[in-house]
Amino acid sequence: MRRIAIVTGGTRGIGRAIAEALHAEGYKVAAVYASNQAAAEAFQLQTGIPVYQWDVSDFAACQQGIARVEAELGPVAVLVNNAGITRDVMLHKMTLEQWQAVINTNLSSLFNMCRPVIEGMRERGFGRIINISSVNGQKGQAGQTNYSAAKAGELGFTRALAMENARKGITVNAICPGYIETDMVKAMPAEIVNERILPQILSGRLGQPEEIARCALFLASEQAGYITGATLSVNGGQYMV
């Protein structure tokens, strides 16, 4: 039986690469997006992967969206929490809205998405939860107290949920990408990338979304059943822990 996978932020960037990799491996994939309808429709047309729209920072929306996915595709076996935003600014200039927007979308969304699926996974004795964190959740980054706090929080959430569910056949792991060649990074000024970021990366290049997708595909597989509570750093040697 084909397993059902949900990928949030699944129509662009890293999420798109993960959704496509899972789809190619035979999973039934639901790609969740927040607002860019044009990109979502183009993605669905190009890949044949169904798309669903809801706000992952809204618990009720997640409940309703997941219920629809399960009614249309089947019970969720794999959940990839990839959706995330940035609102970069130094803390002394940060607004409450900028703080809350990032915390709610990047961190609270893990509760909002995991809570509606975890009981079913426990009952069925199988589940794969993969949280996409960040190198900046491991090391911090000036101008990103909100983002770094959220991404570090994801790592604690991952380990605690892994402890709670290891004996139920459910693994919970995190991937911490470094700087990946996505729209978010491409939007950065070239001089910042070339003069400040690339010199920190031992491999001397940005990562590709497909390199993160291959990691997620492995963690979703049967072969990764003995890996849980782990953090996989994929950053080209920028930061080693």
Side-chain angles (χ1 to χ4, degrees):
M1 187 180 80
R2 295 174 65 190
R3 287 191 168 129
I4 314 306
I6 291 179
V7 182
T8 67
T11 62
R12 295 190 295 163
I14 291 172
R16 175 176 182 142
I18 293 172
E20 290 179 337
L22 289 167
H23 178 69
E25 197 67 17
Y27 292 82
K28 288 184 180 178
V29 180
V32 179
Y33 72 100
S35 59
N36 193 329
Q37 187 171 355
E41 290 175 352
F43 166 84
Q44 182 169 269
L45 184 64
Q46 292 161 5
T47 65
I49 298 171
V51 297
Y52 295 81
Q53 183 179 18
W54 71 76
D55 179 0
V56 295
S57 71
D58 182 329
F59 180 67
C62 292
Q63 284 183 307
Q64 294 163 10
I66 291 168
R68 181 184 164 201
V69 170
E70 294 199 317
E72 294 180 2
L73 302 182
V76 175
V78 177
L79 171 61
V80 182
N81 289 306
N82 168 74
I85 62 171
T86 56
R87 296 290 185 270
D88 294 354
V89 64
M90 300 290 276
L91 184 68
H92 64 277
K93 297 181 179 179
M94 186 177 293
T95 66
L96 179 61
E97 187 280 330
Q98 289 169 324
W99 172 266
Q100 291 179 333
V102 171
I103 295 297
N104 291 339
T105 299
N106 297 12
L107 179 57
S108 295
S109 61
L110 269 61
F111 172 84
N112 297 342
M113 290 297 299
C114 290
R115 183 63 184 87
V117 303
I118 195 67
E119 288 184 77
M121 288 180 175
R122 288 171 63 89
E123 289 169 4
R124 293 185 295 274
F126 181 88
R128 297 285 186 266
I129 297 173
I130 303 164
N131 299 319
I132 308 301
S133 181
S134 169
V135 64
N136 290 343
Q138 296 174 299
K139 72 177 187 59
Q141 178 62 44
Q144 286 194 329
T145 51
N146 48 6
Y147 185 81
S148 294
K151 291 301 183 178
E154 287 187 30
L155 301 180
F157 180 100
T158 296
R159 289 189 284 268
L161 191 61
M163 290 177 180
E164 293 177 1
N165 292 283
R167 296 203 175 190
K168 293 293 185 178
I170 300 166
T171 66
V172 190
N173 293 291
I175 300 173
C176 283
Y179 284 87
I180 307 300
E181 197 169 0
T182 62
D183 290 343
M184 186 182 295
V185 173
K186 290 176 183 176
M188 300 173 66
E191 61 271 19
I192 298 293
V193 175
N194 294 329
E195 296 174 14
R196 298 187 188 180
I197 294 174
L198 288 179
Q200 301 176 32
I201 302 172
L202 298 183
S203 63
R205 65 174 177 86
L206 299 175
Q208 295 301 309
E210 293 75 17
E211 293 178 294
I212 307 303
R214 287 193 288 270
C215 298
L217 188 61
F218 172 67
L219 290 174
S221 70
E222 291 275 3
Q223 288 80 6
Y226 202 55
I227 302 172
T228 195
T231 299
L232 181 57
S233 297
V234 190
N235 60 43
Q238 179 188 359
Y239 185 72
M240 300 183 186
V241 290

